[in-house]
Amino acid sequence: MKTVLYLLIALFILAASCVGGDELRRASETITADELREYTQTLGADSFMGRKPFTPGEEVTVAWLSGELERIGFQPAFGDSWYQEVPMVEITTVVDGKVLISSGKNRIELTAPDDIAIESPSMKQVVVLDEIPIVFCGFGIVAPEYGWNDYAGVDVKGKCAVVLVNDPGLYTGDTTLFKGRAMTYYGRWTYKHEEAARQGAAAVIIIHEPAGAGYDYSIPRKSSISPGLYMEQAEGDITPCPVTGWFSAESASRILSAEGYDVEKLRDQACRAGFVGFELGTSISMKLLNSQVKNSSVNVAGILPGRVRPEECVVVTAHWDHFGIGESENGDSIYNGAVDNGTSMAWALEIGEAFASMKNRPERSVIILFPTAEEQGLLGSSWFAANPPVEPENIIACFNNDLMLPIGRMKDIMVTGYGQSELDDMLAEVAASQDRYLMPDPNPETGMYFRSDHFPFALIGVPSLFARGNCDSREFGKEWAAEREREYLTKMYHKPADNYFPEMNFDGIEEDAKAIFEVACKVTTSDIRPGWKAGSEFANIRSSNK
Ligand SMILES: [Zn+2]
């Protein structure tokens, strides 16, 4: 009798402490292709006006999202509000006259934006650089875990740092150098701007090179003549360099060869450990006229409080913003963004609904977050990560999605940033149970891991996963899937043609949502804290990581 009693007590404890397989399965079954379709069709409708921040499309979108969060059983995540204000400033920069590069013997005039693409994240109305020295700083990287410091022994305070794009691993092909061809965060232009600001540089200019950037010079050129949107500076933030930009490959070559240097040779040297930066013996001058407009948009988020440790949470993210109403193409001027990012918002809502349907609430909280201004440089998610409604240390994991293609069931789960954290291993287990396999992003040199909303979470040390089926259709194979992706990227991506179509097949996104729900469920119903893997550039950010 005693044994039976003990057994009953043991069973009771087991039932109370973890979610049974049945409960998980039942909750998972609330995720359906039909609901994903409905959400996507709504979010991609013309009535949402392309979901652009600061427009009537924002009001419609955020009101609808908070209404859905409430309907599925979530509570406001920011005190009594579903909304977190994200203060931003839009800066338009005009380069007044030419940009001058001069040394004792040479004088080169550059024209913006064709020769040099300049932006100015500064609240000053006039920014003048008057013959400040140019310092070549290799790749502009300080990476203690690789024993690498391009700023060692050089002083760039008040000067113009000129740096190479990407990181040494790409150019040497040496897999032991950084991460070989896969771009590390040190290769991203955002990092190079941040590091130059930490070093006190007055300007940072990156030498463009298409393979290293992942796009041609027309991209920074275009962005330099469009207004830039920035987060408003908070107290204690490092002031960004007042001048940031890109030299076209031709301009860089003209400037360097005039002083007797060769870009290729400098890159070779900069790829070797121990390379020391140096002043080129030439200076740069320019005058910039800035105008600033302050404006704010909102992040939308709901929370499902945990039963045991509500102060700890996982965050599921999918940005709500897109490009609004703009230049007309084929008679359509509404940039609906059904795939970017309607399908992923649907994915997040369905994961939320599965959690809310559980009789036995998870021990930890679940936050469903729809950040704003992703398309403008991850501004909403960056603001959330800097001002989270819970202690940053208590964000246990982040699960994000973006651009989920509704093309049916996939064999693969493509992990962008594969190998960064232990969440990969948890996902691999779930993938196997769905008869699927994990694969790394086939183009890791483009640095996609640093270009969506999970990334600001990674930057504060939260293990973050960006994973979806993408490359291997169960029915039609890999080539077919690659063709669908190419078709989307060339015909619809960031165009008015990114519409909802009845032919869309949501069966694959249903499986993706179930996979991430299961992993997130494991994290929320236990006290595990997944860690970063050794060698990850984010492994040392959190004190709780070894
Ligand atoms: Zn997107």
Side-chain angles (χ1 to χ4, degrees):
M1 194 59 211
K2 233 178 183 176
T3 334
V4 175
L5 188 66
Y6 284 142
L7 197 67
L8 278 174
I9 292 170
L11 273 174
F12 178 77
I13 291 170
L14 199 69
S17 65
C18 73
V19 177
D22 282 349
E23 166 105 75
L24 184 74
R25 218 164 305 124
R26 206 192 42 72
S28 184
E29 274 162 16
T30 65
I31 298 172
T32 68
D34 284 346
E35 288 179 6
L36 287 161
R37 175 186 298 281
E38 238 173 83
Y39 281 138
T40 305
Q41 186 172 6
T42 302
L43 286 160
D46 284 354
S47 55
F48 281 70
M49 294 170 269
R51 304 188 307 267
K52 191 180 178 179
F54 319 133
T55 70
E58 162 159 3
E59 284 161 43
V60 176
T61 307
V62 302
W64 185 84
L65 285 170
S66 58
E68 283 307 299
L69 285 169
E70 185 164 27
R71 189 185 62 79
I72 64 174
F74 275 60
Q75 300 171 13
F78 310 103
D80 57 3
S81 177
W82 299 98
Y83 309 121
Q84 177 181 46
E85 196 177 321
V86 181
M88 291 181 260
V89 53
E90 188 180 72
I91 304 178
T92 307
T93 299
V94 175
V95 181
D96 188 24
K98 302 277 184 188
V99 173
L100 281 183
I101 310 286
S102 57
S103 67
K105 45 186 177 17
N106 300 302
R107 184 185 153 89
I108 295 171
E109 285 192 356
L110 300 179
T111 306
D114 291 336
D115 305 327
I116 184 168
I118 291 291
E119 295 187 81
S120 179
S122 167
M123 292 307 283
K124 289 198 179 125
Q125 253 130 28
V126 181
V127 174
V128 176
L129 298 184
D130 187 16
E131 297 195 352
I132 64 165
I134 296 179
V135 188
F136 178 71
C137 305
F139 287 89
I141 294 172
V142 179
E145 69 276 35
Y146 299 122
W148 197 278
N149 185 351
D150 284 324
Y151 287 99
V154 286
D155 175 15
V156 294
K157 275 192 193 67
K159 300 175 188 171
C160 173
V162 169
V163 300
L164 298 161
V165 70
N166 214 303
D167 70 42
L170 175 71
Y171 295 99
T172 55
D174 178 352
T175 52
T176 64
L177 196 55
F178 288 75
K179 288 186 179 169
R181 285 193 60 78
M183 190 198 276
T184 62
Y185 181 50
Y186 301 113
R188 274 288 280 170
W189 60 266
T190 48
Y191 166 78
K192 291 173 196 283
H193 289 185
E194 289 157 11
E195 191 55 54
R198 279 192 283 272
Q199 302 288 335
V204 54
I205 300 178
I206 302 171
I207 297 177
H208 184 264
E209 188 274 308
Y215 38 78
D216 60 35
Y217 178 73
S218 68
I219 300 291
R221 183 194 176 282
K222 187 175 173 193
S223 120
S224 76
I225 50 174
S226 323
L229 202 57
Y230 304 88
M231 258 190 340
E232 238 181 63
Q233 288 279 293
E235 223 174 295
D237 287 359
I238 291 167
T239 314
C241 292
V243 177
T244 62
W246 297 78
F247 283 130
S248 71
E250 295 74 33
S251 313
S253 162
R254 264 174 79 196
I255 295 163
L256 289 165
S257 62
E259 300 302 318
Y261 299 105
D262 175 84
V263 181
E264 300 303 320
K265 280 194 191 131
L266 283 179
R267 186 178 292 118
D268 282 350
Q269 289 166 17
C271 282
R272 283 181 222 129
F275 166 81
V276 180
F278 57 92
E279 290 203 10
L280 280 184
T282 183
S283 72
I284 187 165
S285 305
M286 68 179 84
K287 184 179 179 188
L288 309 178
L289 306 176
N290 288 337
S291 52
Q292 296 89 355
V293 181
K294 288 192 181 186
N295 219 333
S296 67
S297 176
V298 293
N299 290 328
V300 186
I303 186 167
L304 189 72
R307 187 169 42 84
V308 181
R309 288 187 301 285
E311 69 283 4
E312 296 179 349
C313 70
V314 302
V315 182
V316 179
T317 54
H319 72 84
W320 66 254
D321 65 299
H322 198 58
F323 294 104
I325 299 171
E327 204 179 344
S328 171
E329 284 181 31
N330 304 316
D332 186 0
S333 62
I334 303 179
Y335 291 63
N336 301 70
V339 168
D340 186 9
N341 200 25
T343 50
S344 307
M345 282 188 276
W347 163 91
L349 281 168
E350 282 293 273
I351 292 173
E353 197 177 346
F355 272 114
S357 80
M358 294 168 83
K359 275 195 223 84
N360 214 4
R361 282 271 171 91
E363 295 166 24
R364 287 168 163 159
S365 299
V366 178
I367 290 178
I368 305 289
L369 167 66
F370 301 104
T372 182
E374 189 271 353
E375 306 283 12
Q376 315 278 355
L378 317 181
L379 298 181
S381 51
S382 297
W383 186 261
F384 182 95
N387 306 280
V390 297
E391 284 296 312
E393 284 287 319
N394 284 337
I395 305 177
I396 310 299
C398 170
F399 303 92
N400 175 55
N401 245 312
D402 205 346
L403 295 178
M404 301 180 85
L405 295 177
I407 56 172
R409 294 172 71 208
M410 311 299 281
K411 276 292 275 185
D412 69 302
I413 301 183
M414 178 180 82
V415 180
T416 301
Y418 181 77
Q420 287 281 9
S421 83
E422 290 166 2
L423 293 171
D424 291 0
D425 308 322
M426 298 178 72
L427 182 62
E429 247 176 68
V430 176
S433 75
Q434 289 186 334
D435 189 25
R436 302 170 74 187
Y437 61 89
L438 249 53
M439 63 173 282
D441 177 348
N443 304 303
E445 68 278 7
T446 62
M448 204 48 218
Y449 190 66
F450 318 119
R451 293 162 65 178
S452 192
D453 283 320
H454 55 283
F455 183 58
F457 289 87
L459 271 185
I460 61 164
V462 179
S464 303
L465 193 62
F466 177 18
R468 65 211 193 273
N470 193 68
C471 301
D472 188 359
S473 162
R474 287 196 197 249
E475 212 175 333
F476 305 108
K478 292 179 189 169
E479 264 172 47
W480 180 89
E483 186 48 45
R484 295 287 77 72
E485 186 181 21
R486 247 194 317 275
E487 188 176 63
Y488 174 76
L489 290 175
T490 53
K491 296 188 182 151
M492 291 165 234
Y493 178 64
H494 289 188
K495 294 192 163 84
D498 187 353
N499 289 316
Y500 167 78
F501 300 102
E503 296 75 27
M504 287 176 163
N505 179 339
F506 289 86
D507 294 347
I509 301 178
E510 177 189 314
E511 271 191 329
D512 285 351
K514 287 177 170 166
I516 294 300
F517 167 65
E518 253 191 68
V519 176
C521 203
K522 272 188 193 156
V523 178
T524 47
T525 54
S526 66
D527 57 4
I528 49 169
R529 281 181 172 260
W532 292 96
K533 297 209 168 177
S536 163
E537 54 269 52
F538 312 106
N540 297 317
I541 296 172
R542 263 189 174 173
S543 49
S544 56
N545 289 317
K546 295 143 275 185

